[in-house]
Amino acid sequence: MVNHCSKVAIEQLLSNGLLFSDGKRIGFVHQSFYDYFLVEKMIQQIFEGNSIISILGSPSKQTPSKRYQLQMLLENLLDFDIDDFVDVGIELIHSVNIRFYMKYVFLEVLGQAESINSKVEVFLQEYINSEYWRNHLLDAVFINHPIFIKFLIREGYINTWLDCEQDRELALLLLRSVNSDLPYEVASLLYPLAFKNPELDNKIYNVLCWNIADDSDEMFDFRLEILKFRPQLWNAYISWERLAKDAPSRALCLIDLIVKNVNNQAIENRQDLDDKAIKILAEIAKDRPYQVWKDFMLYIAETTKNTTSIYDKKIDFWISKQYMGQLYGRAYVEMVKASGKELIKIDAKNLLKSCEKYYDYSSLIINEILLCLMESLPVDCSDYAISWLIDNPHTRFFNYTGDSDEYLYTAKKVIEKHSKTCSDEVFESLEHSLYYYHEEDELGIAKRRFEFNRENRIEQNKLIVHWPYWGEVQNYLIPALDQDRISRKTSELERILNRKFNGQHFRHKRNNVTGGVVGSTIGSKAEKISDKQWLKIIEKKDYQKEKWALKDGPILESSPWQFSRDIIRVGEKDPNRIANLALKFPKDIDNHYISAVLDIIGKKELDKDMNKNGDWKPVNLHLAQRLYKKWVNNEDINVAASFCRGIRERAGELWDKEILNEISNIAMNHPNPEQGEFNVVSSEDKEGNTINSLFTNSMNCVRGCATEAIASLLWEDKDRYDYFKDAVDSIVNDKNLAVNMSAIECIIPIMNFDKEQAVKWFFQLANKDLRIAAHPYAYNLFYHLYNDYSRTIKELVLEMYNSEFEDVAKVGANHIANMYVLYGSFGDILFKNIIKSKEQKEGIVKVACDLIGYQEHHEKCKKIIVHFLDEEKDDDLTFSYSQLLYKEKLNINEDEEFILKLVTSKSTRRMVRRFVYFINENDVPIIIFKEVIFGMCQNIIQNSQKEVKDVGSELYGIAPELSKLIAFLYDRTQDDFEVNQRCLDMWDEMFENRIGTMRELTSTIMDM
């Protein structure tokens, strides 16, 4: 390239750092400089009449870097002469010697055009009708490009496609891509299709701008019209905060439309309006006060007329409460308040005149709004505000629907403000009204109080109540009066009421629910409490579960349950202290304390981070046995379970015969669990049908806990078998399946010293219910017994495999695969084309994937997996298959053919990503995997064009992963011409078959 440059030019380029020289060669310091000069040369060749085909060279030379240079060339031609650009593009498209992904560059650059002429239009008209090129044009040129969509509209293509059901989705996609650029055109084209079919209307609505502020006026009007006609479309999310800032008038219009046209139940499910958005909407109301006051206030008044009870369902939509499903009603009310306050600033008297028609509506919501306005009135309207308030005090004093939890709060604020500036005459009327105020239910409350106390006296019950029936309103509102103007009589009443209601509950307030962590009133002080004080706490029997809610902390509770948790916390650190203290506990204490002590006894060791000094010791065995014997006959569920778990944890110690007998007694005779009942019920398995449900209940019932204790004791000392043989037999024959399930834990250690009896019990349980045979701990028993009882074991496995319980069938399938691998059994079931359930397939494949890493089982496992790769098409076992791609399981050299089949049969996102990790994990040249990579890509190209574009498919989004894989292979094999060309061929096919998005593929190539 520099051969044609003068020496002066070369020296200038060298001195400016654009070229470098080592004395023998001259080169560019960066690829971009080389590309620039090369493109300049290519443009010159085009203008000299050379063919673009000859300039690009043969397909083998059409590399990613050449593609980039072609892109620069076409971009320059587009700027210089669009006609030449089109001519070059057509020449590229027609040539059989140009790779497809090079041809595609022309379409990508064409899509960047800011204007089009007649020559471009002729090209578009010809190729949009080409079955081969149409989709490529749509992807690269039309979608997201307004100028080209305008062409389709102008030429009638969009209208034609909209009228054709087969092409309608395409037309809607194209219009959606330019909805904010061409809102008028989009609305005009969609309007004739609307209002005919609910499903089509939903699709049409989704074409409109996501940001409503981007709508044209015509599109917004169309949006409102279709929303009125199809209220169900309101489930679409609205960014209120953004809309209110960008298009306040539209936000106002939309919220008005929602409140007036959508039923309250539908709005209840909307979560797109928050407090921040409401504040912004209130600001909009201030800017348009006349409109909001006129329209919104009237609608609230008519909708809530004659609502005098907070339990009236008509005000549920509008009322403020602790937990609100939606905020639309409150937003509407707050906007009316904001507009009213603004109108007060403009002309208070005129606003008050407009309020008069609402005074007799008997609406709690209207009363809230009017109270708010009275508080906001200027001081020259104080007489009006106070007079209005005391004109109907039983109604107007109370704001039941506002934000404050205290219903009299707003009236109090009105009095505080206006009692200072109202006239003497009005102040006296206010004072008189408060002094002689009587609540409407005053007489009824007094009667109920007197009757309740009289009945308790007759029954000699000491409970006397002092429900206040007069004075609460005065006690709350009189302090709000201007203290400089208050009379001596009212002042004296204020002092009397202060003494009367000091610290008492205020009736006129909202009762909110308080939630949080429930803790003990002792809390962190538990460690500091003396033994003597603990005994007093434990001996107390009249706790009423008193609770105190702290504002910023937990809910504190005084109860044996909470105190027992404190004991456990203290006992974990010093178990012998609590154990010695427990000796002094009376036998009839609350069972929570007994259970806590037994839990402490069962603790064998302390966490290392807690036992920093290393001086922690468990409860002394002698002391533990004394305490166990103290409460040995207690049948409380928690006490018995704690006793059994403690013995289980310390099974290696020398327990007295009395303790062992009690374990047997509990296992045989404790009433928990009752027949057919479960202690633990899952929401997903209410009937308790699954293995997991039985297993969970076996651990959480008392007889099951005793069984676990027996199992641990037998593991530690087989000589204890005589103590427990009858108990184990009872457990095996128990009428509750959960207890039967726990028997497996005893059978396993018994296999070591009384195999014949253990086998008998095991098969008895298996025949009773196959779920027991599927116990997690029973799995290895099948192989322990296989040599001596192979026929019976295989029959049992077949029964499990064909079980109606899916989880049992899966365990049976595990055994089918396992026994084939170990003993060669069940080959007919595995490899015959018999229909298998999803669970059966998963069970078989999982075992094969788990065992394939063992050399002696490797080939058999591969055979199973290959069979299911060929057979299984619909059920997704990709997770199990992807677990194969570890160097511990597969050998690159020996298993190349198997790996190829695996990744090409199951080319999903998970598999591809796992394969990339597999390559990195093995740290070998990627060229070793070339056939696997090409096979995987070819499989996707041939069979999965639809799936890679389906968002719900496992193959969706796989194209970038595959493309990166090819790019990696291409980059690492620059010296391997054949592999390089196959990489280019693969890219070509991916572009041509539209695998993934063109943007993703182009990005991968451009990043190389």
Side-chain angles (χ1 to χ4, degrees), residues 703-746:
R703 294 203 298 279
C705 288
T707 305
E708 290 179 341
I710 292 172
S712 294
L713 290 163
L714 291 175
W715 276 115
E716 294 292 338
D717 185 356
K718 66 180 181 179
D719 292 337
R720 292 166 172 168
Y721 181 45
D722 290 337
Y723 285 112
F724 296 124
K725 186 172 183 179
D726 290 342
V728 175
D729 188 66
S730 175
I731 294 163
V732 170
N733 291 284
D734 199 287
K735 294 181 179 180
N736 189 288
L737 280 176
V739 180
N740 298 148
M741 186 69 136
S742 67
I744 294 294
E745 298 196 38
C746 288

Side-chain angles (χ1 to χ4, degrees), residues 744-758:
I744 294 294
E745 298 196 38
C746 288
I747 289 172
I748 295 172
I750 293 171
M751 282 283 178
N752 296 313
F753 42 80
D754 191 357
K755 184 174 181 179
E756 183 180 350
Q757 181 61 62

Side-chain angles (χ1 to χ4, degrees), residues 102-119:
M102 301 290 282
K103 296 178 182 181
Y104 200 84
V105 179
F106 166 65
L107 301 183
E108 290 177 325
V109 176
L110 176 59
Q112 300 172 17
E114 296 179 358
S115 62
I116 57 177
N117 62 10
S118 58
K119 192 158 190 173

Side-chain angles (χ1 to χ4, degrees), residues 751-770:
M751 282 283 178
N752 296 313
F753 42 80
D754 191 357
K755 184 174 181 179
E756 183 180 350
Q757 181 61 62
V759 170
K760 181 181 176 182
W761 279 331
F762 174 67
F763 286 128
Q764 180 183 338
L765 289 168
N767 290 330
K768 183 174 185 178
D769 196 299
L770 290 173

Side-chain angles (χ1 to χ4, degrees), residues 628-645:
Y628 277 148
K629 292 173 184 178
K630 182 175 182 177
W631 291 299
V632 74
N633 295 317
N634 192 316
E635 288 194 348
D636 177 78
I637 292 175
N638 292 320
V639 171
S642 294
F643 170 71
C644 294
R645 287 168 181 153

